[in-house]
Amino acid sequence: MRYHLRIARARLQGSVDTHCTVLNAPTIEAAIDRAAAIVDSVLDGRPGVATLTSPYRGLIWAHRQNLPAPAWP
Protein backbone atom coordinates (compact mmCIF):
# COMPACT_ATOMS: atom_id res chain seq x y z
CA MET A 1 0.00 0.00 0.00
CA ARG A 2 1.10 3.56 -0.67
CA TYR A 3 1.52 6.16 2.11
CA HIS A 4 2.51 9.84 2.09
CA LEU A 5 4.97 11.18 4.67
CA ARG A 6 5.19 14.94 5.17
CA ILE A 7 7.74 16.55 7.49
CA ALA A 8 8.14 20.22 8.49
CA ARG A 9 11.42 21.05 10.23
CA ALA A 10 12.48 24.35 11.81
CA ARG A 11 15.63 25.90 10.34
CA LEU A 12 18.16 27.64 12.51
CA GLN A 13 17.28 30.99 10.86
CA GLY A 14 13.63 30.66 11.87
CA SER A 15 12.12 29.50 8.59
CA VAL A 16 10.81 26.00 7.83
CA ASP A 17 12.01 23.17 5.58
CA THR A 18 9.42 20.76 4.24
CA HIS A 19 10.00 17.22 3.06
CA CYS A 20 7.50 14.96 1.32
CA THR A 21 7.96 11.35 0.30
CA VAL A 22 5.89 8.37 -0.74
CA LEU A 23 6.34 5.10 1.16
CA ASN A 24 5.30 1.67 0.00
CA ALA A 25 4.68 -0.78 2.84
CA PRO A 26 2.69 -4.01 3.20
CA THR A 27 0.99 -2.96 6.47
CA ILE A 28 0.15 0.19 8.43
CA GLU A 29 2.53 -0.92 11.17
CA ALA A 30 5.40 -1.30 8.70
CA ALA A 31 4.63 2.13 7.24
CA ILE A 32 4.66 3.73 10.71
CA ASP A 33 7.96 2.05 11.61
CA ARG A 34 9.54 3.24 8.39
CA ALA A 35 8.12 6.75 8.76
CA ALA A 36 9.40 7.03 12.35
CA ALA A 37 12.92 6.10 11.23
CA ILE A 38 12.85 8.66 8.42
CA VAL A 39 11.48 11.37 10.72
CA ASP A 40 14.21 10.73 13.31
CA SER A 41 16.82 11.12 10.60
CA VAL A 42 15.34 14.24 9.00
CA LEU A 43 14.50 16.11 12.21
CA ASP A 44 17.81 15.16 13.84
CA GLY A 45 16.78 16.67 17.18
CA ARG A 46 15.34 19.89 15.68
CA PRO A 47 11.78 21.04 16.28
CA GLY A 48 9.29 19.79 13.73
CA VAL A 49 6.17 17.85 12.88
CA ALA A 50 5.39 14.90 10.65
CA THR A 51 2.25 13.24 9.33
CA LEU A 52 1.73 9.92 7.63
CA THR A 53 -1.41 9.62 5.52
CA SER A 54 -3.07 7.11 3.27
CA PRO A 55 -5.33 8.03 0.35
CA TYR A 56 -7.84 5.47 1.66
CA ARG A 57 -7.64 5.97 5.44
CA GLY A 58 -6.56 9.59 5.87
CA LEU A 59 -4.29 10.46 8.77
CA ILE A 60 -2.58 7.38 10.20
CA TRP A 61 0.24 8.75 12.35
CA ALA A 62 1.46 12.15 13.54
CA HIS A 63 4.59 13.20 15.42
CA ARG A 64 5.59 16.46 17.18
CA GLN A 65 9.14 17.03 18.34
CA ASN A 66 10.53 19.79 20.57
CA LEU A 67 7.58 22.12 20.03
CA PRO A 68 5.67 24.10 22.65
CA ALA A 69 2.39 22.60 23.78
CA PRO A 70 -0.60 23.75 21.72
CA ALA A 71 -2.60 26.62 23.20
CA TRP A 72 -6.07 25.56 24.27
CA PRO A 73 -8.85 28.06 24.93
Side-chain angles (χ1 to χ4, degrees), residues 19-53:
H19 302 270
C20 299
T21 190
V22 174
L23 304 176
N24 289 306
T27 65
I28 290 175
E29 293 81 10
I32 292 170
D33 289 344
R34 205 156 155 225
I38 292 169
V39 168
D40 284 345
S41 174
V42 170
L43 291 182
D44 193 31
R46 293 187 204 157
V49 295
T51 60
L52 181 66
T53 59

Side-chain angles (χ1 to χ4, degrees), residues 3 12 22 29 46 48 51 54 56 58 60-61 63 70:
Y3 301 90
L12 298 176
V22 174
E29 293 81 10
R46 293 187 204 157
T51 60
S54 161
Y56 306 107
I60 294 172
W61 177 79
H63 175 76

